[in-house]
Amino acid sequence: MLRSLVGSEMCIRDRLCTDLIKEADPQKAETMTRVMGSEFKFLGVDAKARRRIMQPYLREAAETETEIDWDFVACCWDQNLREFRYLALQYLLRQRNLLANDAYKKLEKLMKDQPGWDTGNYFQKIVNFLTARYPQTKKTVLRWSTSEDPWFKRVALLHQLDRGTYADLELQEKILLNCLGAQEKPVKQAVGRCLRDLQRAFPDFVRQFCQDHADGLSTLSLKELKA
């Protein structure tokens, strides 16, 4: 599978993937797998090493590309190794200005494949950008908040983090209401984190929301709100 990324005429993309493989550390891979609850496979390349290896490629891509290289994203995703998925998501985040308003269709497919806390953090940042740039896509995020998949709910809840007074409060209230009562830990934690973020710019809204929906807020959500 890894060979599919490495051709005889080595472009910078191929060299990048080869360098990631060379940096593999079985001991680190074992630790990283354990930390993630043995859910995913790792090469064993820590964040510092990944940044060192990835930055030259990401910088060149930003300088030369005029459209998203979805083939590259798919190749990275198909490796089924977490470091390659981080690479694909960092690439999309770096190249977010090239994302079209229909990128959600491709993002949804990626989000469904082995979701987790780690990749969710990337997706919410990418979606934050998309909804700000293409307001018509907000309806997609609202739909995610009604999904049976807790990771879609989580991305919807957290996609406006750090917007401050620029947050779409009406949209966020609808998303919160759709997620109240969810039993999954990623959702309950995200509800509290969302409210904590909104509290900085809209303290009266958060205070009233908590009063009106006290029965629907879990202990974990309230703990995260007060963190």
Side-chain angles (χ1 to χ4, degrees):
M1 184 68 75
L2 292 173
R3 294 194 191 108
S4 66
L5 284 168
V6 183
S8 56
E9 295 183 6
M10 298 277 281
C11 67
I12 187 169
R13 182 180 77 181
D14 297 328
R15 293 198 304 273
L16 166 67
C17 296
T18 302
D19 288 345
L20 267 178
I21 297 166
K22 288 179 179 178
E23 196 76 21
D25 184 323
Q27 285 189 320
K28 288 182 180 178
E30 184 178 341
T31 300
M32 294 163 83
T33 299
R34 186 170 60 251
V35 168
M36 292 298 292
S38 301
E39 289 184 78
F40 313 118
K41 295 179 180 178
F42 286 87
L43 279 171
V45 184
D46 61 29
K48 183 177 181 180
R50 289 200 308 273
R51 283 193 296 270
R52 171 174 51 79
I53 294 168
M54 294 176 185
Q55 283 309 311
Y57 168 72
L58 295 176
R59 185 165 52 248
E60 179 164 321
E63 293 171 354
T64 61
E65 291 184 357
T66 57
E67 60 183 20
I68 295 292
D69 187 348
W70 287 107
D71 287 339
F72 171 64
V73 173
C75 283
C76 287
W77 216 256
D78 288 344
Q79 302 310 314
N80 200 25
L81 289 162
R82 220 59 181 167
E83 288 90 345
F84 278 98
R85 296 196 170 189
Y86 297 154
L87 169 56
L89 291 169
Q90 285 182 273
Y91 166 77
L92 289 174
L93 189 58
R94 180 70 176 264
Q95 296 293 78
R96 57 191 179 275
N97 283 317
L98 300 180
L99 289 168
N101 62 0
D102 63 352
Y104 282 101
K105 297 175 183 178
K106 294 184 173 69
L107 291 177
E108 283 185 343
K109 292 181 180 179
L110 300 178
M111 289 169 63
K112 290 177 182 177
D113 187 5
Q114 291 189 339
W117 301 86
D118 52 351
T119 53
N121 291 334
Y122 287 105
F123 282 118
Q124 70 198 37
K125 292 176 183 177
I126 295 168
V127 174
N128 190 333
F129 172 82
L130 284 171
T131 53
R133 187 168 191 175
Y134 305 110
Q136 67 270 33
T137 61
K138 293 178 182 179
K139 61 183 180 182
T140 300
V141 181
L142 184 59
R143 172 171 57 81
W144 288 356
S145 71
T146 65
S147 171
E148 294 182 2
D149 188 325
W151 298 103
F152 277 82
K153 287 181 179 290
R154 182 176 174 82
V155 171
L157 282 161
L158 301 180
H159 85 280
Q160 291 197 76
L161 286 187
D162 299 322
R163 281 196 189 179
T165 56
Y166 293 99
D168 184 335
L169 194 57
E170 181 180 355
L171 173 64
Q172 206 62 48
E173 182 177 19
K174 292 177 181 178
I175 291 173
L176 280 162
L177 290 173
N178 286 339
C179 295
L180 285 182
Q183 297 303 306
E184 299 88 353
K185 182 178 179 180
V187 183
K188 291 191 288 187
Q189 191 269 350
V191 167
R193 188 177 175 193
C194 173
L195 288 169
R196 175 157 51 92
D197 183 74
L198 289 173
Q199 187 172 237
R200 300 187 186 106
F202 307 103
D204 293 339
F205 165 81
V206 172
R207 188 180 307 109
Q208 190 63 51
F209 186 92
C210 290
Q211 289 177 3
D212 293 344
H213 306 286
D215 293 341
L217 290 169
S218 69
T219 301
L220 178 57
S221 295
L222 292 172
K223 181 179 179 180
E224 188 67 28
L225 167 61
K226 299 172 183 177

